[in-house]
Amino acid sequence: MRTSWKITVLGLATVAVAGIVRHDTQGTQASSLKADSILARYWEPLDPQGPPPDHWTDIEASLLPDACASCHPDQFAAWQTSFHAKAFSPGLVGQLLGYDSGDVAACMRCHAALAEQRNHFEWARVQGKGHVREAQGLAAWGNSCGGCHFRERQCFGPPQRDTGVTGPGSSDAPHGGVHRSAFFESAEFCSGCHQFDSSLAVNGKPLENTYVEWQATAFAAAGVTCQGCHMPDRQHLWRGIHDPEMVKSGLVARFDASPDRARFELTSTGIGHAFPTYVTPKAVMRGVALDRTGLPEAGSVVSYVIQRVVEHIDGEWVERSDSRLLPGETARLEMDWPESGRVKMWLEVHPDDFYDHSVYDVLLQQLADGPAAELIAEADRQAEASRFNLFETEVTRP
Ligand code: HEC
Ligand code: HEC
Ligand code: HEC
Ligand code: HEC
Ligand code: HEC
């Protein structure tokens, strides 16, 4: 399963960003033409940036996020709390250690995109230190500032905040200014890593299909992009399924007590794709009968699972079921009253269910003791610990 899982994921590496729409106002100079051609292939595998211009200071030339932080502290502080900063994770590196360099490059395209990050990791691996964070250097920073903003030593960013100006900026500014483009405000920017190619569809839907899901929503029609929900006011937060407040913000829970039954209804109201969008998380609506003293009664738990369940069988992915909620859809859980007339109901969220119960368990069986197995064991513990409960409510018979 390990190899096939890998090959399927690697297929994603060929995903190209299609149909980029740009509205740059200036576009005559040669530098602008070059920038346009870079924007058109923004998420294709990256080449090294090349040497910095002679007059750049060391801090302008550095690709380390903590160098960017000296002039952009707010973005750095927010980014550090996000999963993009954690993308060179134990679960990834534990697998990369055993891959050939082509496969490593394919995975790192989304997890640590800069060519310099790839080269640094390969160097550490040759030294036998691929698993040591300090030795990984730039790679350890994961989905880094430079990977999203720098190409061929040119800085790219969104239209200027107050003026909306796009196109090339002043080359006298630090790091030669910035080429501003509406591409950064578009969902296509995110689709470079959050949408698999349609050729990888399983029952009509690729395993990561977030951009296509979003396109079909009323949010897309109203111009609410990924950034609108995940980067409010351009903050580099990227909260998602691992963040209880973010998950809560997208759902409405209703509890209803009628004489015959207790009901729990969950509606997706503020999520711009399926809930959850990936095959990796699982959400479970649960109810349990309470006795007269308020203690749960053994064996009384009822559940409704919200998840796209896939399995890898004989070299093929198969979809077992898909109960995820599209925007506006509602899931329901009902319970008969116990004698006490008291039940407790809640939503359980397992952000890393598939990794926890499929990927890491299989890897741990296959890997011999050593650094890779230790990293996967750490990832397994993190995956297990990421679960949380929401909306816990006691409902009583009227
Ligand atoms: C020495 C200070 C300095 C460093 C270091 C620096 N920047 Fe900048 N950056 C600036 C300034 C000043 C601007 C505004 C340039 C302009 O308006 O032409 C800017 C603009 C930007 C913009 C455009 C957003 C805006 O405010 O208009 C982005 C994106 C950006 N930088 C990213 C980065 C990244 C990523 C790094 C690290 C790899 C970095 N910068 C390092 C000073 C710096
Ligand atoms: C996953 C890609 C990604 C990463 C990683 C990333 N950025 Fe950005 N950044 C963006 C996007 C997209 C925007 C524009 C958001 C919008 O317009 O809503 C942006 C905007 C900015 C801006 C302009 C902010 C403004 O208010 O106008 C700066 C400055 C910036 N980023 C710096 C950084 C720095 C520094 C880091 C690392 C600490 C970083 N970015 C990491 C994607 C990224
Ligand atoms: C260079 C590839 C890349 C780009 C571009 C990118 N992402 Fe990500 N994103 C990732 C990876 C890889 C992860 C998983 C990180 C991890 O946990 O290892 C991730 C994680 C996330 C998460 C966290 C989900 C959770 O598990 O809680 C959110 C939300 C997210 N991205 C939104 C966005 C948005 C919005 C954009 C566009 C502005 C974007 N990403 C652009 C690669 C990317
Ligand atoms: C097209 C972009 C893309 C490619 C290529 C890619 N990933 Fe990911 N990866 C993601 C995103 C997005 C997430 C977060 C969503 C999820 O969990 O499915 C993620 C999550 C993960 C996670 C769980 C979170 C973490 O970091 O611990 C692991 C492990 C992982 N990927 C390993 C790999 C491996 C190994 C490869 C290469 C075989 C690979 N990925 C290739 C985009 C990508
Ligand atoms: C209307 C707001 C909204 C829009 C638009 C939106 N999201 Fe989300 N997204 C959410 C909320 C809320 C969550 C948390 C619940 C969940 O996990 O589905 C989330 C979760 C996620 C996750 C976590 C993984 C998972 O399985 O759910 C990723 C990754 C993500 N979004 C990426 C994107 C990308 C990429 C786009 C654009 C193509 C986008 N989102 C558009 C609100 C939004």
Side-chain angles (χ1 to χ4, degrees), residues 21-241:
V21 184
R22 289 193 307 277
H23 309 279
D24 295 350
T25 50
Q26 309 162 34
T28 46
Q29 293 110 325
S31 78
S32 189
L33 283 175
K34 185 178 157 213
D36 279 347
S37 98
I38 291 173
L39 283 163
R41 53 188 158 86
Y42 207 77
W43 290 120
E44 283 175 20
L46 301 184
D47 292 325
Q49 301 278 330
D54 287 341
H55 63 277
W56 283 20
T57 57
D58 287 349
I59 201 150
E60 287 168 278
S62 173
L63 291 165
L64 288 166
D66 53 0
C68 316
S70 51
C71 302
H72 302 290
D74 295 350
Q75 285 78 16
F76 179 76
W79 168 84
Q80 266 198 310
T81 67
S82 78
F83 276 86
H84 283 158
K86 301 182 182 101
F88 209 65
S89 61
L92 174 78
V93 179
Q95 296 180 66
L96 295 188
L97 288 176
Y99 287 3
D100 65 37
S101 53
D103 290 354
V104 166
C107 303
M108 287 184 72
R109 190 184 74 82
C110 294
H111 284 263
L114 292 169
E116 290 78 1
Q117 294 183 288
R118 207 166 61 228
N119 294 343
H120 209 123
F121 174 68
E122 289 295 16
W123 177 85
R125 206 156 66 126
V126 168
Q127 315 282 311
K129 295 181 189 158
H131 59 290
V132 181
R133 224 174 151 72
E134 295 70 40
Q136 291 162 359
L138 189 58
W141 293 88
N143 196 351
S144 66
C145 315
C148 281
H149 287 293
F150 272 80
R151 296 290 181 274
E152 300 177 26
R153 290 287 172 190
Q154 203 171 343
C155 180
F156 290 84
Q160 196 169 40
R161 185 172 262 280
D162 297 323
T163 63
V165 162
T166 56
S170 154
S171 56
D172 300 335
H175 51 68
V178 49
H179 189 99
R180 305 173 190 281
S181 168
F183 175 48
F184 276 76
E185 295 180 309
S186 69
E188 288 74 23
F189 179 89
C190 313
S191 75
C193 301
H194 286 280
Q195 174 67 45
F196 293 176
D197 192 79
S198 60
S199 65
L200 296 167
V202 178
N203 193 21
K205 300 160 288 187
L207 296 186
E208 294 198 356
N209 201 27
T210 312
Y211 174 73
V212 169
E213 287 168 5
W214 168 81
Q215 276 185 311
T217 66
F219 296 107
V224 181
T225 59
C226 321
Q227 290 86 332
C229 295
H230 290 286
M231 302 181 72
D233 194 30
R234 293 189 174 175
Q235 293 177 82
H236 285 44
L237 292 168
W238 297 293
R239 295 292 179 266
I241 189 82

Side-chain angles (χ1 to χ4, degrees), residues 316-362:
E316 296 240 25
W317 285 99
V318 180
E319 181 180 282
R320 290 286 173 219
S321 59
D322 186 357
S323 57
R324 293 173 305 158
L325 297 182
L326 296 176
E329 285 184 349
T330 298
R332 288 179 186 82
L333 180 75
E334 301 197 356
M335 262 185 103
D336 291 330
W337 293 113
E339 227 189 310
S340 67
R342 296 171 70 177
V343 303
K344 193 170 74 180
M345 297 176 126
W346 72 98
L347 179 72
E348 223 168 84
V349 180
H350 303 242
D352 301 314
D353 182 68
F354 187 71
Y355 294 108
D356 188 8
H357 293 113
S358 300
V359 180
Y360 297 145
D361 287 354
V362 172

